[in-house]
Amino acid sequence: MSEVFTLSPDRGTDAPRPGTPAPGRSTPATYAALDLGTNNCRLLVARPTAEGFRVIDAFSRIVRLGEGLSLTGRLGEAAIVRTIEALRICRDKMAARGVTRARTIATEACRSAENGAEFVNLVQERLGIDLEIVDRETEAHLAAAGVGELADRSALSIVMFDIGGGSSEIIWLRGGESSGGAGRVGAWESMRLGVVSLAEKFGGVDVTDETFAAMTAHVAEALAPFIAKVADETRCDRFHLLGTSGTVTTIAGVHLNLPRYDRRAVDGLWLGRAEVDGAVARLRSMSYAQRAANACIGHERADLVLAGCAILEAIREHFPAERLRIADRGLREGILSQMMREDGVGPHRRGRWR
């Protein structure tokens, strides 16, 4: 499976708005999905194919929009400036690619911040991007749509999770061939915690065993409503976990000893229980400097990755499974799949990156 990322050069601020093809150019239907989270700003631009969709452009940048939000209740000025610049690049890429339909969503940071609506208005005024602040249920279902194709088609029960910066979604998927292999959402919960908020609460640079245990216990409390919802669900003999986020892709990269992150090696990787245990133990044994120097982590995630591991460990403790499948895909793919399905193009399912 190969990727096609033909990245175009950035254009000036006078570029056409998303959805406006360049003058004199006739382009096929081109879709864009933008996901602005608490930590990351991500964009995919794709065109439908007979098998799914083909990604023609992509962008991802850590912006930490939610930096300090758990302490102040507001989006900070520096974070807003960083995010506006990343969104400007996204806007110019969408314009350069002649995007004909786009959905641009914002999640927990904008949902929770006192000035979230004010920020959305600022983005519209400055960039012409209409950010949609989605609710937690929508976020959970989009994540399932984007990741569900990686579920074991023989499994009748799967716990899927998406560890975010300010919120983490956990979903019970009912699988099997009758579900098309993507799974049906049986229950879901959005925990109002993520790697950024957890690291701000407990610290992310020097994480002792006691701190890690406290973080894990804190997540376990937040899991309680979901645990109650699925108390009567049956786990089949092929029950497994399916995870998407920087946390699980980092764990995969560390497990594989990658000299630099490689999506093709990570997306769809199966890890056994002992392999996950080993990768988490390695991460916990690293100093902050060692985490920052690791090519699959970097200084931008070095203070967040152990908070993510604590979220993962709480999930694994309550939903023990012999297998974890890693997904380097998520909301953006779910958005693209949903738009194309609504327009009756493609095979009406999430496609592979070809």
Side-chain angles (χ1 to χ4, degrees), residues 111 135-141 144 160 168-173 185-191 225-227 229-230 233:
R111 277 197 300 256
D135 59 30
R136 293 180 177 86
E137 182 175 8
T138 299
E139 183 175 1
H141 280 77
M160 190 209 125
S168 297
E169 282 62 51
I170 184 164
I171 301 161
W172 187 280
L173 291 178
V185 175
W188 66 275
E189 187 69 33
S190 180
M191 299 183 289
F226 180 74
I227 294 169
K229 287 180 181 179
V230 301
E233 295 283 357

Side-chain angles (χ1 to χ4, degrees), residues 183-216:
R184 294 176 290 109
V185 175
W188 66 275
E189 187 69 33
S190 180
M191 299 183 289
R192 297 188 65 177
L193 56 83
V195 296
V196 174
S197 55
L198 203 60
E200 288 181 346
K201 182 176 179 67
F202 291 94
V205 176
D206 298 312
V207 180
T208 65
D209 289 345
E210 292 75 17
T211 300
F212 190 83
M215 284 195 288
T216 305

Side-chain angles (χ1 to χ4, degrees), residues 4-202:
V4 179
F5 285 171
T6 307
L7 301 180
S8 59
D10 295 338
R11 300 178 62 181
T13 57
D14 59 345
R17 290 186 176 185
T20 305
R25 184 194 301 174
S26 176
T27 60
T30 304
Y31 295 79
L34 187 152
D35 167 24
L36 177 61
T38 301
N39 198 43
N40 289 278
C41 177
R42 298 185 177 100
L43 171 74
L44 281 184
V45 181
R47 291 180 182 143
T49 69
E51 297 178 352
F53 55 77
R54 180 174 180 266
V55 174
I56 62 171
D57 214 337
F59 174 78
S60 179
R61 176 175 292 180
I62 294 176
V63 295
R64 295 205 181 196
L65 177 60
E67 185 176 58
L69 174 62
S70 62
L71 305 175
T72 67
R74 295 180 61 83
L75 304 177
E77 285 301 318
I80 288 173
V81 170
R82 291 193 299 267
T83 304
I84 289 286
E85 179 53 33
L87 289 171
R88 190 187 311 279
I89 295 171
C90 292
R91 181 204 62 181
D92 293 348
K93 285 182 175 293
M94 288 189 283
R97 291 295 183 179
V99 168
T100 54
R101 185 176 179 193
R103 187 176 185 187
T104 54
I105 70 167
T107 56
E108 185 62 25
C110 289
R111 277 197 300 256
S112 300
E114 294 174 7
N115 57 340
E118 179 183 331
F119 169 74
V120 167
N121 290 336
L122 179 66
V123 170
Q124 203 287 326
E125 291 170 4
R126 289 195 181 179
L127 303 176
I129 295 176
D130 295 316
L131 283 175
E132 171 193 358
I133 302 178
V134 296
D135 59 30
R136 293 180 177 86
E137 182 175 8
T138 299
E139 183 175 1
H141 280 77
L142 286 173
V147 178
E149 283 290 327
L150 287 180
D152 181 344
R153 289 175 177 265
S154 300
L156 300 178
S157 50
I158 304 107
V159 165
M160 190 209 125
F161 58 90
D162 181 355
I163 300 172
S167 69
S168 297
E169 282 62 51
I170 184 164
I171 301 161
W172 187 280
L173 291 178
R174 298 189 182 110
E177 292 294 343
S178 62
S179 68
R184 294 176 290 109
V185 175
W188 66 275
E189 187 69 33
S190 180
M191 299 183 289
R192 297 188 65 177
L193 56 83
V195 296
V196 174
S197 55
L198 203 60
E200 288 181 346
K201 182 176 179 67
F202 291 94

Side-chain angles (χ1 to χ4, degrees), residues 173-327:
L173 291 178
R174 298 189 182 110
E177 292 294 343
S178 62
S179 68
R184 294 176 290 109
V185 175
W188 66 275
E189 187 69 33
S190 180
M191 299 183 289
R192 297 188 65 177
L193 56 83
V195 296
V196 174
S197 55
L198 203 60
E200 288 181 346
K201 182 176 179 67
F202 291 94
V205 176
D206 298 312
V207 180
T208 65
D209 289 345
E210 292 75 17
T211 300
F212 190 83
M215 284 195 288
T216 305
H218 181 71
V219 178
E221 291 180 8
L223 270 173
F226 180 74
I227 294 169
K229 287 180 181 179
V230 301
D232 295 329
E233 295 283 357
T234 301
R235 302 182 198 183
C236 68
D237 58 0
R238 298 190 67 82
F239 172 80
H240 66 88
L241 302 179
L242 172 58
T244 176
S245 68
T247 296
V248 294
T249 57
T250 295
I251 285 171
V254 168
H255 166 73
L256 294 171
N257 293 310
L258 296 178
R260 62 178 182 275
Y261 185 76
D262 182 354
R263 179 190 183 277
R264 293 170 296 180
V266 167
D267 186 51
L269 180 70
W270 286 101
L271 293 180
R273 183 198 296 267
E275 292 171 324
V276 179
D277 288 342
V280 171
R282 283 179 59 188
L283 284 165
R284 291 183 61 188
S285 71
M286 293 180 186
S287 66
Y288 172 80
Q290 289 171 327
R291 297 195 302 269
N294 187 286
C296 293
I297 305 172
H299 68 90
E300 292 180 315
R301 295 184 183 272
D303 62 335
L304 304 177
V305 67
L306 293 185
C309 288
I311 297 172
L312 172 62
E313 289 303 273
I315 294 171
R316 294 178 70 214
E317 179 179 335
H318 287 281
F319 299 98
E322 292 302 320
R323 300 179 298 157
L324 165 64
R325 196 166 203 190
I326 310 296

